[in-house]
Amino acid sequence: MYTATSFAAVLALAPAILAAPAPQAAPISAPASYVPAPVPAPSDVAATNVTSHGPYTGPAPTTTGALTTTFLAASVPALPPNPTATTYPSDGMLHDPEPAPYTPAGGLGTNGTEPVYNAKSDFDFESLALGLYQEWIELDLFHWGLATFSVEDFEAAGLTANDRALIEFMGDQELGHATLITNILGAAAPVQCTYNYPVNTVREFVDFNQKLTRFGESGVYGFLNHLDSREAGQLLLQSITTEARQQMIFRQFDGLFPMPVWFEVGIPQSWAWTLLAPYISSCPANQTRLAWQNFPALYVENNPNPARINANRTGFGETVGNSSAAPLDSTVVPKADTCLNNTVVGEDCSPAISQNRSEPLSFPGRQVFFSWEEPGKLVGPNNSYVTTTTAGAPVYVAWVNQLNLTYTDLTITGPNAGYTFQPNSSTYANDPAVNGTMFVALTSENITLTPFNLSMINPFVVAGPALYQAG
């Protein structure tokens, strides 16, 4: 018997299943005017393309803080590897009987059990709900930009009718993603909210999109392989790979090199929620709340500005608004220094399939300045979440990108202010680890972690993450 969730998932696959040709005794020629009857499709979840916008101005919330229950420990303890983690000989031979022809033994969800596409733990539900919050804001943001800026505004930024049609299609993709996760979660799935964007021009809209999709994509990579529900993870994988394409397209619209890294980075859920929550103004009173932490905000004061021919001349505050994922400010760059529509080879940053700029946006040894907030600030939907930290004093800057976690020393220059120098680290030879749109955070410790257990850094995060526009 199907559950509601698994039935919805089966319906989602129905067009592909029903489209397969049925066996026939002989081919039958269809009339030239024949049009196949449409295959019934599952309904999309209810949504509005563009909601209301602006900062939250409503009453004080009656509930504040993350969703919580009893704690079993102050943090997850660090343990040695599983004793069986290295027992497989990995010699290219088969070591167990095959359950069926051409089917090597092992794997998860490979024993023929019918898949059920639902949440199977608190971890699953909270992770998928976070992903749904992200899908909702992207659906709104993409359509909002098209409704807010004129055709002339887009064309002045180098974006044609074809480009605008692509942005609209990407917004429509988000409706499918929101429908998918809503069907997995059921009646308690978070619904659409209202939002507040730090955007005044098309160029800022595009840059904000490439940053928002960066932490949305990375936030899913961080939890995908930890889900108890392998079935839900499979469907989420097939949506997040679409978002990866969106992020690259917005980089191309931003005049950036489309994919300057060898590996895409994953981040913990609390990092993604910290970056996302400030842009959500309000949600319905009965909205499902999240369990993830909101860290104090971190600001990169001299974040490289991709609107400049030479981003290394970026001054302080060349972003719109004061947020950890703030877009570039296209209005502060003198005309002589702007790269948009520049005709010099290597200096142009107009929308293109690829732009290989002569001057990199950043470099090893670049002095990077930070400021950060104290904990206790109300953020997120209806100002109902509170920033917190369990870390000590800030000592290090954690640089998180590709497969790497690199620490540099933080030099304190005043209250909640300091600087460090961009590290010279590589993932492999000829692949600088610090590149693209990446993440930085302030920490009290420099513990060694890898992509699969990066969330264990959370107890030591003082502030952040913030996005750093390295390339």
Side-chain angles (χ1 to χ4, degrees):
M1 178 177 180
Y2 291 116
T3 66
T5 301
S6 63
F7 184 63
V10 171
L11 278 179
L13 298 175
I17 295 170
L18 297 176
Q24 300 182 39
I28 299 175
S29 298
S33 60
Y34 171 74
V35 177
V39 178
S43 299
D44 295 323
V45 69
T48 301
N49 278 352
V50 181
T51 67
S52 61
H53 294 84
Y56 179 68
T57 57
T62 56
T63 302
T64 58
L67 184 68
T68 187
T69 184
T70 304
F71 297 147
L72 298 179
S75 62
V76 177
L79 301 174
N82 188 308
T84 63
T86 58
T87 57
Y88 182 72
S90 196
D91 57 5
M93 304 300 293
L94 296 178
H95 298 276
D96 294 292
E98 295 181 85
Y102 313 108
T103 308
L108 299 175
T110 60
N111 64 356
T113 301
E114 181 181 355
V116 178
Y117 297 91
N118 63 354
K120 293 177 169 58
S121 63
D122 291 346
F123 182 92
D124 285 3
F125 190 98
E126 294 298 318
S127 300
L128 291 163
L130 171 64
L132 183 52
Y133 269 95
Q134 181 77 28
E135 305 296 2
W136 282 130
I137 195 173
E138 289 168 355
L139 184 154
D140 179 86
L141 174 61
F142 300 167
H143 289 294
W144 173 86
L146 293 171
T148 299
F149 300 107
S150 67
V151 170
E152 292 75 19
D153 292 334
F154 276 100
E155 291 182 347
L159 295 172
T160 66
N162 290 331
D163 299 324
R164 297 191 298 276
L166 178 54
I167 295 173
E168 183 174 11
F169 182 76
M170 289 190 286
D172 295 341
Q173 288 176 323
E174 298 307 328
L175 180 59
H177 299 170
T179 300
L180 175 78
I181 302 177
T182 297
N183 288 345
I184 292 172
L185 294 179
V191 298
Q192 197 172 22
C193 301
T194 66
Y195 307 97
N196 187 34
Y197 306 132
V199 169
N200 300 306
T201 69
V202 169
R203 188 67 192 270
E204 294 160 9
F205 166 67
V206 168
D207 191 61
F208 186 55
N209 282 335
Q210 71 92 3
K211 288 174 176 173
L212 186 103
T213 52
R214 168 73 283 145
F215 65 73
E217 178 191 347
S218 294
V220 171
Y221 293 154
F223 70 73
L224 192 59
N225 284 312
H226 292 288
L227 290 173
D228 291 300
S229 178
R230 310 308 299 168
E231 303 96 324
Q234 178 64 44
L235 297 185
L236 195 60
L237 173 66
Q238 292 176 241
S239 69
I240 202 60
T241 47
T242 302
E243 186 152 329
R245 288 161 170 80
Q246 294 174 352
Q247 204 274 335
M248 189 181 82
I249 288 167
F250 282 119
R251 284 185 60 89
Q252 291 171 312
F253 286 171
D254 211 7
L256 297 168
F257 193 77
M259 45 178 183
V261 294
W262 292 8
F263 305 92
E264 300 300 342
V265 62
I267 58 172
Q269 295 97 322
S270 291
W271 286 36
W273 183 230
T274 295
L275 290 166
L276 171 61
Y279 304 115
I280 305 175
S281 297
S282 64
C283 295
N286 60 346
Q287 177 81 323
T288 297
R289 299 185 64 78
L290 294 183
W292 307 114
Q293 186 173 3
N294 296 88
F295 295 107
L298 173 67
Y299 308 116
V300 182
E301 295 293 343
N302 60 335
N303 217 341
N305 188 342
R308 286 183 171 274
I309 294 172
N310 185 351
N312 296 305
R313 294 178 180 172
T314 301
F316 278 51
E318 291 196 16
T319 56
V320 181
N322 210 22
S323 63
S324 299
L328 63 83
D329 189 339
S330 59
T331 66
V332 299
V333 181
K335 187 174 182 180
D337 294 335
T338 185
C339 54
L340 185 64
N341 299 322
N342 194 298
T343 58
V344 178
V345 175
E347 294 185 358
D348 186 27
C349 65
S350 301
I353 292 175
S354 183
Q355 293 282 19
N356 192 12
R357 296 166 64 162
S358 301
E359 292 289 342
L361 266 63
S362 69
F363 57 90
R366 180 178 188 264
Q367 191 172 18
V368 183
F369 293 88
F370 300 98
S371 65
W372 57 95
E373 293 181 350
E374 291 291 332
K377 181 179 179 179
L378 295 175
V379 295
N382 309 79
N383 283 341
S384 65
Y385 289 82
V386 185
T387 61
T388 64
T389 177
T390 59
V395 180
Y396 304 100
V397 178
W399 302 74
V400 178
N401 200 33
Q402 304 200 67
L403 310 180
N404 293 47
L405 166 61
T406 304
Y407 295 94
T408 55
D409 293 330
L410 175 69
T411 299
I412 301 296
T413 58
N416 292 43
Y419 69 85
T420 192
F421 295 96
Q422 183 171 318
N424 187 12
S425 57
S426 298
T427 304
Y428 292 108
N430 302 313
D431 176 30
V434 177
N435 209 338
T437 308
M438 57 166 295
F439 302 88
V440 290
L442 305 187
T443 66
S444 57
E445 305 289 341
N446 59 347
I447 60 172
T448 300
L449 298 169
T450 58
F452 195 68
N453 68 344
L454 182 61
S455 62
M456 294 184 71
I457 197 175
N458 287 349
F460 309 104
V461 172
V462 179
L467 289 178
Y468 181 65
Q469 197 61 60

